[in-house]
Amino acid sequence: MKFTIQAKVPGKLARAGVIETSHGKIETPAFIPVGTKATLKALMPESVRDLVGAHAVLANTYHLYLQPGQEVLKKCGGLHKFMNWSGPTFTDSGGFQAFSLGAAWGKGISKLASGEGEEDGRKLASDISDDDVSKHAALAKVDDDGVTFKSVIDGTTHRFTPEISMDIQRDIGADIIFAFDECAAPNADYEYQKVAMNRTHEWAKRSLAQHIDNDAAAAENTKDKPQALFGIVQGGRHEDLRRESARAIGAMGFDGFGIGGSFDKGDVGTAVRWVNEELPENKPRHLLGIGEPLDLILGIENGVDTFDCVSPTRIARNGAVYSSLGRLNLCNAEFISDTGPLDPECGCYTCKNYTRAYLAHLCRAKEMLSATLLSIHNLYFLVNMVKKLRQA
C-alpha cells in the first residue's frame, strides 16, 4: 500500500490524498460502504461501483468467520472473488464485536456516549434478531489473551486472539486489515478505559508480529496479494488516554491507523483531533464505524482520510434517507402523494428516476425494492458529499 498527500488545508489537519492498493486506488477523504457479510444488503456489487461511485468496501471479520467461514473464503480465492468486487477492500478486526456482544449486550449502548444508537443507525451487533440468541447473558468475555464468544448463529463457543484475527483476515484477503483491539463502552470508567487501551497496545504488538510472519509466508506464494495492517487507537473520551494511545500505536510501524472506541457525540471532532495531532502525518487514518453526515465533516476537518459505517444502508431499510433538506422518513404520510424527486439536489439513480410517492409506496408496502433504491441514494449521498469535501 502507498499513501500520498496531495493537498492540505492551511492551519487545519484536513488533507486530500490517494491510497494505492493492489486492487486500485482510493481517493481520500473517502466514505467506505460496509458489506458486513461480503454483501451490501439489497445491493449488487456492480450497483455499489457504478450507481454509488464507491472506491472500496469494508467487510466484517467476525461475521465472515462465522459464516461462511474462513476455509470457504480461502477456497474461493478470498473476498474479492467471493463477492465479485474488483476494487480495494477493508476488513475490521472483530474487536468491536467483543464490545457490542459483551459489555454492551442488551444494554442499548452505542459507540457514542449520547446513547442515540438505533436512531442514528448505530445499533449494536448488526442485524441480530431476538430469534438468533437469548439475551439473558453477554455473548463475549474478554481477557488479556483474547476474547471468548458465542456464535449468534448457533450458540457455539469460539475464541479470537490477535494471532487468530490476523490469520482469518489473511484468508479473507482484504487489501487493508486492522489489528485486534478492545473497544470499551463509553460509560466505562477511566480505569477500565486505561485497561482496555493498554490491552489494545499489547494486542497491537502481537497482531503486528503475526502479520509479519504471515507476510513472510505469503511471499513464497505468488497468488497471495500483499496486505496493509492498520493499528487501532483507543482511549475512550479521555484526552490523555487518546494522545497516549496515538503515540504508542503511531510508533509501532503500522501501515496506517484506525481510530476506534467510543466518543461523545457532541465532540467527535475534538477527540479525533487529539489523535491525529499525535499520529504520523504520512500514513492514512480511518475512523471506524462512524458515518453520519456531520461526523464525516468533523472527521475530515480534523485529519481523517477514510470512514466506514452501516448507517446509510441500515436506515434505508427502515425507510429513512439523508437529503439536502435533512433526514426524511418515507414512511410518513406527507410523502404518499408527493410527485417530486426524493432529493431535488441529488443526481443519484433513485432521485433521477423515482418519485417520493413511489418510494413511499414501496416502504409502506414493505417491498424489497425500497431497501435497494433508498440504499443507493443514501450511499451516493455520503460518498459524493465526501468527494465534494475532497475537492474543496
Side-chain angles (χ1 to χ4, degrees):
M1 187 202 75
K2 179 182 178 182
F3 177 59
T4 305
I5 298 174
Q6 298 175 312
K8 294 191 288 187
V9 175
K12 297 281 187 180
L13 292 169
R15 71 265 191 91
V18 176
I19 298 172
E20 300 178 51
T21 77
S22 59
H23 286 96
K25 298 180 179 180
I26 305 169
E27 295 184 345
T28 65
F31 179 79
I32 312 299
V34 177
T36 301
K37 301 178 183 178
T39 176
L40 279 88
K41 295 185 189 303
L43 296 179
M44 293 175 63
E46 292 82 358
S47 298
V48 179
R49 183 189 64 231
D50 300 334
L51 300 183
V52 172
H55 293 158
V57 297
L58 180 144
N60 184 277
T61 296
Y62 167 89
H63 287 289
L64 290 178
Y65 162 78
L66 291 178
Q67 192 180 52
Q70 69 188 96
E71 291 303 319
V72 172
L73 282 157
K74 186 176 182 179
K75 184 177 180 180
C76 292
L79 180 63
H80 293 88
K81 290 184 178 179
F82 190 60
M83 68 176 292
N84 191 32
W85 178 263
S86 60
T89 55
F90 295 65
T91 45
D92 61 10
S93 70
F96 177 69
Q97 276 63 43
F99 157 64
S100 63
L101 296 174
W105 182 250
K107 298 177 183 177
I109 304 171
S110 79
K111 292 183 71 172
L112 297 178
S114 66
E116 295 180 23
E118 189 165 352
E119 181 183 348
D120 284 340
R122 299 182 179 92
K123 185 179 180 182
L124 299 173
S126 46
D127 296 318
I128 297 172
S129 70
D130 290 345
D131 295 330
D132 290 323
V133 287
S134 169
K135 287 191 176 182
H136 294 304
L139 302 182
K141 301 292 184 183
V142 182
D143 58 60
D144 286 341
D145 185 58
V147 181
T148 300
F149 60 91
K150 292 183 179 180
S151 167
V152 298
I153 298 172
D154 59 12
T156 54
T157 300
H158 301 265
R159 177 81 172 164
F160 271 10
T161 65
E163 293 79 12
I164 291 173
S165 176
M166 292 299 97
D167 289 346
I168 296 169
Q169 291 186 79
R170 172 67 61 176
D171 288 341
I172 293 173
D175 297 286
I176 295 172
I177 66 177
F178 286 87
F180 196 57
D181 67 309
E182 182 184 0
C183 175
N187 61 349
D189 61 25
Y190 179 90
E191 289 306 315
Y192 190 83
Q193 291 284 2
K194 189 170 184 178
V195 168
M197 178 195 73
N198 288 329
R199 186 178 282 147
T200 292
H201 295 172
E202 291 303 310
W203 289 358
K205 295 173 187 176
R206 290 167 56 187
S207 295
L208 189 56
Q210 185 69 21
H211 175 67
I212 292 171
D213 288 347
N214 287 346
D215 262 354
E220 301 175 4
N221 184 353
T222 56
K223 293 182 180 180
D224 285 346
K225 298 290 187 181
Q227 293 177 301
L229 177 62
F230 284 24
I232 297 181
V233 175
Q234 292 289 353
R237 303 161 64 193
H238 307 285
E239 179 176 2
D240 61 330
L241 297 184
R242 280 288 179 182
R243 290 187 182 276
E244 179 183 349
S245 186
R247 289 192 294 268
I249 296 295
M252 288 188 193
F254 287 103
D255 299 300
F257 307 101
I259 304 172
S262 49
F263 302 91
D264 183 336
K265 180 173 174 57
D267 218 5
V268 172
T270 299
V272 167
R273 176 176 57 79
W274 296 336
V275 171
N276 288 337
E277 285 178 344
E278 303 292 343
L279 288 174
E281 186 183 43
N282 63 339
K283 295 183 178 181
R285 305 148 177 172
H286 181 93
L287 185 54
L288 286 152
I290 300 292
E292 291 291 306
L294 181 58
D295 297 335
L296 298 178
I297 295 169
L298 293 173
I300 291 169
E301 181 182 26
N302 289 286
V304 174
D305 302 299
T306 53
F307 306 78
D308 77 271
C309 191
V310 298
S311 177
T313 49
R314 173 168 289 142
I315 69 170
R317 295 195 298 276
N318 293 313
V321 295
Y322 307 121
S323 81
S324 59
L325 304 173
R327 185 161 156 171
L328 308 176
N329 189 329
L330 272 297
C331 295
N332 290 347
E334 63 185 295
F335 300 113
I336 290 176
S337 59
D338 189 334
T339 59
L342 179 59
D343 183 346
E345 296 185 18
C346 179
C348 79
Y349 174 84
T350 301
C351 290
K352 288 191 294 186
N353 291 284
Y354 299 98
T355 64
R356 290 177 172 181
Y358 180 67
L359 296 169
H361 159 66
L362 294 179
C363 291
R364 296 169 74 88
K366 301 188 184 305
E367 288 290 340
M368 290 186 290
L369 184 58
S370 66
T372 298
L373 294 177
L374 298 188
S375 292
I376 288 171
H377 168 77
N378 279 348
L379 287 172
Y380 181 95
F381 184 91
L382 291 186
V383 166
N384 284 276
M385 185 189 84
V386 173
K387 286 181 179 180
K388 292 176 183 177
L389 292 169
R390 169 186 160 81
Q391 184 61 41

